[in-house]
């Protein structure tokens, strides 16, 4: 899978990525750099950030600033913005990617566990959005927000209820500010990714043999998981000037997963042809 946009599509743009040190955040950040952007990556683990920044600079030749930040603390987000401006002069885009999740029956979760997920996903996103948005508005600068949500932000889902609550809030934030802040030339969009494998993520959520038993690819009509470059291509488009008329949208990239599993009878694909033959013979009798 190759990059979609032409070289220089993000030239001289400075983009902040929360949760940018690992996983999908790292992959999207790498492509932003390849397209000419300056990158600011944040997470709580400074050692991970520093290594990622060094690696990405070596791989792309781009400029990467690593700033440790807990998105649940507004003053730390404010520090990221000030550090980014001190280094690069101006911020052009913010990718709200930081997240946390537990797979668990809800009654087994403590209120603190619930808080951890909602605080990272929702509070972290609206803190970052509020800090960056106020900064842009005060300086009369345009900007672009891109938020990572999930398809169960609109369907809901058992066993990930804190995440569903948080992501639903992020989706509402995205659509609301797309209208309210458009007058400031600030756009807000979101991506709802399906299964994209990342190092260790699925094994943490589904330990042991559960990963094999619940193969995410089997839930996708295309019968495969996503490639990181596919997501990076979409993210780069939505962060670029090519998408200047796209505002308030959430774009799903999941191979049709949520449509298949949202359909009441979609799982009838498991019925073999011989049984369908029997069913057809019973019609009209």
């Amino acid at each position: 899978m190759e990059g979609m946009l032409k070289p220089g599509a993000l030239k001289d743009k400075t983009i902040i990525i929360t949760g940018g040190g690992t996983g999908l955040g790292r992959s999207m950040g790498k492509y932003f750099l390849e397209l000419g952007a300056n990158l600011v990556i944040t997470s709580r683990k400074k050692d991970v950030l520093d290594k990622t920044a060094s690696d990405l600079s070596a791989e792309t030749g781009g400029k990467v600033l690593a700033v440790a930040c807990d998105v649940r603390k507004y003053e730390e987000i404010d520090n990221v913005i000030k550090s980014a401006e001190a280094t690069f002069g101006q911020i052009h885009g913010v990718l709200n990617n930081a997240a946390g999740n537990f797979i668990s029956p809800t009654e087994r979760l403590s209120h603190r566990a619930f808080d951890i997920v909602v605080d990272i996903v929702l509070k972290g996103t609206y803190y970052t959005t509020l800090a960056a948005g106020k900064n842009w508005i005060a300086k009369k600068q345009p900007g672009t927000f891109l938020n990572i949500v999930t398809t169960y932000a609109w369907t809901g889902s058992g066993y990930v209820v804190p995440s569903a609550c948080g992501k639903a809030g992020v989706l509402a934030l995205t659509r609301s500010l797309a209208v309210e802040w458009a007058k400031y030339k600030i756009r807000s969009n979101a991506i709802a990714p399906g299964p994209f494998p990342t190092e260790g993520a699925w094994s943490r959520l589904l330990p042991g043999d559960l990963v094999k038993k619940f193969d995410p690819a089997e839930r996708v009509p295309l019968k495969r998981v996503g490639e990181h470059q596919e997501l990076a291509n979409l993210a780069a488009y939505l962060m670029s000037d090519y998408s200047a008329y796209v505002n308030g949208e959430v774009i799903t990239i999941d191979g049709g997963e949520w449509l298949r599993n949202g359909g009441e009878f979609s799982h009838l694909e498991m019925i073999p042809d011989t049984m369908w033959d029997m069913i057809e013979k019973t019609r009209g009798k």
Side-chain angles (χ1 to χ4, degrees):
M1 176 66 62
E2 296 181 351
M4 178 177 75
L5 299 184
K6 69 179 183 180
L10 294 176
K11 183 174 174 53
D12 297 328
K13 289 185 181 292
T14 297
I15 300 171
I16 296 173
I17 303 182
T18 66
T22 59
L24 298 178
R26 185 192 190 283
S27 296
M28 289 183 282
K30 180 181 178 182
Y31 189 44
F32 294 171
L33 287 167
E34 291 172 352
L35 293 172
N38 302 315
L39 195 64
V40 182
I41 56 174
T42 78
S43 74
R44 286 174 291 169
K45 297 180 179 178
K46 187 65 163 65
D47 57 335
V48 173
L49 281 178
D50 287 341
K51 185 178 187 310
T52 298
S54 176
D55 290 347
L56 287 177
S57 292
E59 292 169 18
T60 66
K63 298 176 182 177
V64 187
L65 174 65
V67 185
C69 171
D70 185 339
V71 292
R72 297 170 294 181
K73 298 178 180 178
Y74 192 86
E75 63 277 9
E76 293 190 15
I77 296 167
D78 215 26
N79 178 60
V80 171
I81 291 171
K82 290 175 181 176
S83 299
E85 289 184 327
T87 302
F88 297 118
Q90 182 180 339
I91 301 162
H92 301 85
V94 173
L95 172 51
N96 283 304
N97 173 69
N101 203 358
F102 299 112
I103 290 183
S104 171
T106 307
E107 68 273 15
R108 290 174 176 260
L109 293 174
S110 69
H111 67 282
R112 292 183 182 86
F114 211 110
D115 283 346
I116 287 170
V117 175
V118 174
D119 283 356
I120 295 172
V121 173
L122 180 54
K123 183 185 286 185
T125 298
Y126 70 65
Y127 271 6
T128 305
T129 300
L130 192 61
K134 283 186 172 185
N135 184 58
W136 282 331
I137 292 167
K139 295 177 179 177
K140 294 182 169 55
Q141 294 174 355
T144 301
F145 287 112
L146 180 57
N147 302 322
I148 302 300
V149 295
T150 178
T151 53
Y152 59 69
W154 53 84
T155 65
S157 177
Y159 304 97
V160 285
V161 172
S163 176
C165 292
K167 292 293 190 182
V170 172
L171 184 56
L173 179 75
T174 303
R175 288 171 167 161
S176 300
L177 290 182
V179 175
E180 184 179 343
W181 283 357
K183 62 179 176 284
Y184 301 119
K185 294 183 170 55
I186 296 174
R187 294 188 298 126
S188 296
N189 290 298
I191 297 175
F196 283 82
T198 58
E199 186 73 28
W202 287 351
S203 61
R204 285 194 299 271
L205 291 172
L206 295 169
D209 293 337
L210 288 177
V211 173
K212 297 177 182 178
K213 185 174 182 180
F214 295 98
D215 180 3
E218 290 303 311
R219 293 171 48 84
V220 179
L222 292 178
K223 296 305 176 188
R224 70 172 179 88
V225 295
E227 295 184 28
H228 284 215
Q229 187 62 51
E230 291 175 300
L231 178 61
N233 283 342
L234 178 57
Y237 165 71
L238 290 172
M239 197 61 79
S240 75
D241 294 337
Y242 293 115
S243 63
Y245 203 51
V246 181
N247 188 35
E249 277 303 309
V250 53
I251 299 178
T252 302
I253 178 168
D254 74 344
E257 179 195 32
W258 91 271
L259 292 171
R260 173 188 179 271
N261 295 289
E264 185 174 356
F265 296 102
S266 294
H267 289 84
L268 294 186
E269 65 184 18
M270 298 172 65
I271 295 178
D273 288 341
T274 53
M275 186 171 291
W276 281 120
D277 292 340
M278 294 174 58
I279 292 171
E280 284 185 16
K281 290 178 181 178
T282 65
R283 291 176 185 162
K285 292 185 180 179

